[in-house]
Amino acid sequence: MSIDPIITARARRQADLVARYDGRAPRYTSYPTAVQFGPHVDEAAYRGWLAGLATDKPVSLYVHVPFCARLCWYCGCNTRAVNRHEPVADYLNLLLREATLLREALPRRLAVSHVHLGGGSPNMLTPEDLDSLFAGLARAFDIPAGVELAAELDPAHLTRDWVEAAAFHGLNRASLGVQNLDPAVQQAINRQETFEQVADAVGWLREAGVGSVNVDLMYGLPHQTVGNTLSTLEAILGLSPERIALFGYAHVPWMKAHQQLIDEAALPGPAARLDQAEQAAARLADAGYVRVGLDHFARADDPMARALETGGLRRNFQGYTTDDAEVLLGLGASAIGRLPQGFVQNAAQEVAWRAAVAAGRLPVARGAELTADDRFRGEIIERLMCDLSVDLEAVCRKHRRVLADLAGSVEALAPFLADGLVRLEGARLHVSGDGRLVVRSICAAFDAYFAPEAGRHSRAL
């Protein structure tokens, strides 16, 4: 029996990449990353930042709903499973109180350009809850018709009534968490759902006029193979979503205790993970999707693909985005905000968040105040994560720095340069070849805080 030389070469390449670069690295949804957040950014600091915001530019809102009908064992989000509505209703009342507190801390009622409902599962809110939520947000902020309104949804517990209610309030972008459709994989991660449920969800969203649908898929889950990755992908492609996200499962049981329920012996190894990711990416390219950054794919006419072409792609705690607002205000337990002065995060524990809001306090727990060096390095990292390329000299000029300030970072790139994963053309750095697969590790060369020995991040591959 002959062995396909292409498959053999790919296996060797994957094994080599794993051996060299499968260390731990941040996901760089911010810089500094959340690991660097500390209690020195407290409510008083946040109030000062809010009071100093410009009033002539729209802001974005992130609303966190930390509830699910089930607890998926792979999940890295701040959420909990509930089987009664009372905790959700009580949380919503406090969420609206937080919106009022936020409005009172701002210099005026600000305009909003984007609203993102995340979780957890925002469809744990009832249609009546949505009425209350959007009425309360409208009292605190100026939310004009037609703003981008997105929600992360659990298709197994979505209803037509919920979709119609959300669309009434302006829902125009939805993300469905599917991950994998193979029954063995679903059982191993405690997330059972059928393709028919996913198809119904997409159909209801289309009927309601939601113009953009994203589907979240994963690789690296227990019992996942190239075969069930591609069969899942084929089924999803039949629904013609505008975007598909293909995330690598991050196994961090020391951070998320419920991940200890996953059988580690059933997890695919690094080379198998890489094979799943790359074969899925190749199939998406064949289907006409543009690869965006590390793990997103969009139709060529999608705003995300266009933003990639024009250099307008951004990265935040929701991943890749076209949202260009300078200010992101977070509401709810664990929600993270971004302001010109820095990052701020609410109390992650729901009990602490509830207590603070009930006492009339903004529920800030920690954050990071940006230094000039943070802004400088953060721009380099964001451009690499988004564009896979950055003009180091141009960034230096913008931040009044010189290329010599990056000497240590360029030295740290030596292995990547030697392996053809990056190339330098003058002062322009390009991620090339298989470098996209290890772009997080490439970015870490510019991270002044990164401590690989700390082991606080997920694997890079």
Side-chain angles (χ1 to χ4, degrees):
M1 181 175 64
S2 63
I3 299 175
D4 188 332
I6 296 177
I7 294 176
T8 302
R10 184 173 68 225
R12 284 199 299 265
R13 173 179 62 85
Q14 290 167 348
D16 186 58
L17 281 172
V18 168
R20 292 172 178 267
Y21 298 112
D22 193 31
R24 299 189 183 277
R27 291 187 176 272
Y28 292 115
T29 52
S30 71
Y31 185 80
T33 69
V35 169
Q36 279 76 50
F37 291 7
H40 54 285
V41 175
D42 55 13
E43 183 190 14
Y46 188 34
R47 285 186 176 276
W49 292 0
L50 292 169
L53 288 181
T55 60
D56 59 345
K57 296 180 180 179
V59 302
S60 292
L61 299 180
Y62 173 75
V63 181
H64 191 74
V65 182
F67 304 102
C68 292
R70 55 188 173 174
L71 183 60
C72 304
W73 296 342
Y74 69 87
C75 184
C77 301
N78 183 62
T79 188
R80 64 186 176 102
V82 295
N83 55 18
R84 298 181 303 115
H85 185 62
E86 287 79 5
V88 182
D90 291 343
Y91 179 89
L92 176 59
N93 289 333
L94 287 169
L95 191 68
L96 297 177
R97 173 61 178 149
E98 184 185 1
T100 300
L101 292 171
L102 196 54
R103 163 66 188 92
E104 293 169 352
L106 291 165
R108 55 164 288 182
R109 182 168 168 265
L110 299 180
V112 170
S113 58
H114 293 71
V115 181
H116 189 104
L117 307 184
S121 302
N123 49 309
M124 290 294 288
L125 300 172
T126 66
E128 293 75 22
D129 290 339
L130 290 177
D131 293 341
S132 298
L133 172 63
F134 286 104
L137 292 178
R139 287 191 294 270
F141 300 94
D142 176 14
I143 307 178
V147 302
E148 181 172 297
L149 172 55
E152 301 168 10
L153 306 173
D154 180 350
H157 295 90
L158 190 63
T159 66
R160 177 184 270 113
D161 287 346
W162 194 96
V163 171
E164 291 175 350
F168 173 80
H169 290 290
L171 182 72
N172 49 32
R173 189 178 296 282
S175 183
L176 300 171
V178 174
Q179 321 316 345
N180 190 277
L181 292 170
D182 184 86
V185 175
Q186 292 185 352
Q187 184 175 0
I189 61 175
N190 195 41
R191 188 183 178 88
Q192 287 82 8
E193 62 196 17
T194 65
F195 172 72
E196 289 72 25
Q197 289 174 311
V198 177
D200 283 345
V202 173
W204 296 332
L205 291 164
R206 300 297 193 199
E207 290 172 6
V210 177
S212 180
V213 174
N214 172 78
V215 174
D216 286 346
L217 302 178
M218 297 190 81
Y219 63 90
L221 293 169
H223 301 296
Q224 191 166 0
T225 64
V226 168
N228 59 42
T229 299
L230 293 179
S231 62
T232 293
L233 185 55
E234 287 302 324
I236 296 304
L237 287 172
L239 301 176
S240 300
E242 280 71 24
R243 299 177 186 176
I244 292 177
L246 182 66
F247 299 117
Y249 167 57
H251 191 59
V252 287
W254 59 89
M255 294 176 59
K256 296 295 179 179
H258 55 263
Q259 289 189 357
Q260 296 173 19
L261 297 169
I262 286 180
D263 179 8
E264 292 190 355
L267 291 171
R273 283 171 55 98
L274 187 56
D275 201 15
Q276 293 166 22
E278 284 302 277
Q279 293 211 40
R283 177 66 188 95
L284 283 162
D286 288 343
Y289 285 80
V290 176
R291 193 168 187 175
V292 178
L294 177 64
D295 46 27
H296 281 50
F297 299 81
R299 292 193 172 278
D301 59 349
D302 186 87
M304 184 170 284
R306 294 199 298 267
L308 178 65
E309 289 182 358
T310 62
L313 190 66
R314 302 292 304 278
R315 188 161 172 83
N316 65 18
F317 290 95
Q318 286 78 59
Y320 290 105
T321 179
T322 59
D323 180 4
D324 60 358
E326 294 180 1
V327 176
L328 171 66
L329 301 177
L331 293 156
S334 79
I336 296 175
R338 183 194 69 241
L339 294 84
Q341 303 94 328
F343 297 97
V344 61
Q345 184 174 22
N346 283 349
Q349 296 298 318
E350 193 184 324
V351 171
W353 175 86
R354 286 176 180 266
V357 176
R361 303 193 308 273
L362 290 172
V364 176
R366 60 185 194 141
E369 185 172 5
L370 291 173
T371 67
D373 191 63
D374 292 337
R375 299 177 200 279
F376 171 55
R377 294 178 178 275
E379 182 168 349
I380 293 171
I381 289 171
E382 184 175 33
R383 297 293 20 109
L384 283 172
M385 289 295 298
C386 291
D387 305 333
L388 303 179
S389 177
V390 62
D391 186 334
L392 297 174
E393 188 170 30
V395 177
C396 284
R397 285 197 303 270
K398 179 178 176 180
H399 292 268
R400 298 183 179 181
R401 304 288 289 268
V402 294
L403 282 172
D405 294 335
L406 295 173
S409 297
V410 173
E411 182 179 349
L413 291 174
F416 302 99
L417 287 162
D419 288 338
L421 301 176
V422 297
R423 68 180 190 276
L424 271 170
E425 296 177 352
R428 179 171 284 279
L429 178 66
H430 299 274
V431 177
S432 56
D434 290 327
R436 183 195 296 267
L437 304 173
V438 293
V439 66
R440 292 162 53 202
S441 296
I442 293 167
C443 288
F446 296 92
D447 184 343
Y449 304 99
F450 181 55
E453 68 280 358
R456 302 182 69 177
H457 304 286
S458 61
R459 289 284 182 185
L461 287 171

